[in-house]
Amino acid sequence: MADANGSNDEDIISDALGRAPDMQLGGEHGRWRLCRWRQFVGSYTLPALPDPMFVVHIAGKPNVRTWERDGWSEASSLPGCATIVPSGQPTGWLVDGELDVVTLSVASTDLQNAPALDQFKRMRFAFSDPLGVALTRQVLGELYAPQTPERDIYVSALVDALKAHMLRGPVNAGAADIPTSAFSSYRIHNIMNAILHRPEIDHSLEEMAAQAGVTPAHFCRIFKKATGVSPHQYVMRARLDRAQQMLEQSDTPMATIAEALGFTSQSHFTRAFRQFAGETPSDFRRRRLETLQ
């Protein structure tokens, strides 16, 4: 479907990004469209879309945020998460590096009798969806394989299954208690958001591993596979990101910032910040102030 100007979701996204999708597949009469988008970096705004969109985060950087009422979201998306973007709502996005997502747009008229109609009336950002991700990956695998009549039938069936999954809505929360590898990924996502929400507290390896339900050694492996960095590096980066915000938005003394963010001393904070940002905290604050003047 399209808006009053004849544009569909994918046209609007292409205009905002300045590029077409890497791959696009459409259903009969345009009632659904599946696209893969890669390699868009930075912050950008999408105008309101005419149809709701189901977004599956396939690969890329794990630090993707959306704009909320007063700033970028505390929660972040990572590979294995899904997001629902409702129709009629402009959205803002912050991408820290390369991103790889698949979008499925469904005509608004197909949602009129959907059991999960209410979930398409608001933004649902970065929720765990192992089945949606598995179906999406299978669709992509088939689309990049040689084309045959049998393959086309199989892809159509997979997309129908993904569409049905999208329209069904959230499954019973108790299903998340099954101890699978996907469940570990879901727990890691929660751990990552807990770190971003309160980077200053002591996020010990043993405690995080216990929350994920795995051994510390295994937690290190799966965490690095999901984020590209070790748990310790992720905590340190979250603290230093928060430090940059404090340096930009306040005149809080360096020693106070260091203590508030869990550094052992001001000198420890200065060394870590220089390694992270390429300059000292004082130089960073001075440069930002000069930029604003």
Side-chain angles (χ1 to χ4, degrees):
M1 303 295 287
D3 63 12
N5 297 320
S7 298
N8 57 32
D9 289 1
E10 291 67 32
D11 294 335
I12 293 172
I13 295 174
S14 293
D15 287 343
L17 301 179
R19 60 187 300 276
D22 286 66
M23 178 276 295
Q24 185 168 1
L25 183 69
E28 185 179 3
H29 306 303
R31 301 193 71 82
W32 61 263
R33 297 167 306 278
L34 184 142
C35 296
R36 184 181 191 180
W37 309 83
R38 289 187 294 180
Q39 298 178 344
F40 46 101
V41 181
S43 61
Y44 54 96
T45 300
L46 290 184
L49 303 177
D51 294 320
M53 177 173 285
F54 186 70
V55 184
V56 177
H57 194 160
I58 296 296
K61 287 282 188 176
N63 189 19
V64 178
R65 300 168 189 260
T66 187
W67 183 261
E68 296 181 338
R69 182 176 302 174
D70 300 317
W72 297 112
S73 60
E74 290 281 352
S76 61
S77 181
L78 73 158
C81 290
T83 293
I84 289 177
V85 180
S87 61
Q89 177 181 323
T91 54
W93 302 89
L94 180 65
V95 180
D96 180 17
E98 181 183 359
L99 182 68
D100 190 346
V101 298
V102 171
T103 60
L104 175 64
S105 298
V106 176
S108 297
T109 53
D110 285 357
L111 299 177
Q112 293 176 357
N113 298 316
L117 177 62
D118 287 344
Q119 77 165 328
F120 297 101
K121 294 181 178 179
R122 62 181 179 85
M123 181 84 162
R124 287 191 66 214
F125 177 63
F127 58 92
S128 179
D129 189 0
L131 179 56
V133 172
L135 287 169
T136 302
R137 289 186 181 278
Q138 189 66 30
V139 171
L140 288 182
E142 294 297 327
L143 288 177
Y144 287 105
Q147 184 174 7
T148 64
E150 293 78 12
R151 189 213 70 165
D152 291 345
I153 293 173
Y154 185 46
V155 167
S156 179
L158 287 170
V159 174
D160 284 344
L162 181 59
K163 180 181 173 182
H165 172 70
M166 170 186 175
L167 298 180
R168 180 181 62 168
V171 297
N172 189 304
D177 293 334
I178 300 173
T180 63
S181 59
F183 183 46
S184 295
S185 297
Y186 170 80
R187 287 186 169 184
I188 287 175
H189 179 231
N190 285 341
I191 292 169
M192 291 170 65
N193 281 333
I195 293 170
L196 294 174
H197 181 63
R198 295 196 62 192
E200 72 280 1
I201 68 175
D202 180 25
H203 298 278
S204 71
L205 176 60
E206 291 74 17
E207 179 181 293
M208 290 187 288
Q211 292 176 19
V214 296
T215 65
H218 185 53
F219 177 76
C220 284
R221 288 193 295 269
I222 59 177
F223 190 95
K224 188 168 185 177
K225 185 176 181 180
T227 65
V229 296
S230 70
H232 173 74
Q233 290 171 325
Y234 192 86
V235 172
M236 186 62 66
R237 188 173 68 179
R239 290 178 176 178
L240 293 168
D241 281 338
R242 184 68 59 82
Q244 286 187 328
Q245 296 174 15
M246 295 176 70
L247 289 167
E248 287 180 319
Q249 300 170 7
S250 73
D251 57 359
T252 306
M254 301 299 170
T256 303
I257 293 177
E259 182 179 1
L261 292 178
F263 290 94
T264 56
S265 64
Q266 182 176 340
S267 59
H268 177 211
F269 167 56
T270 300
R271 288 195 303 272
F273 192 94
R274 183 189 290 115
Q275 185 175 10
F276 172 74
E279 58 186 339
T280 66
S282 298
D283 289 341
F284 176 85
R285 173 177 277 170
R286 185 182 307 109
R287 182 171 57 81
R288 288 307 175 99
L289 289 175
E290 291 172 352
T291 301
L292 294 175
Q293 293 175 353

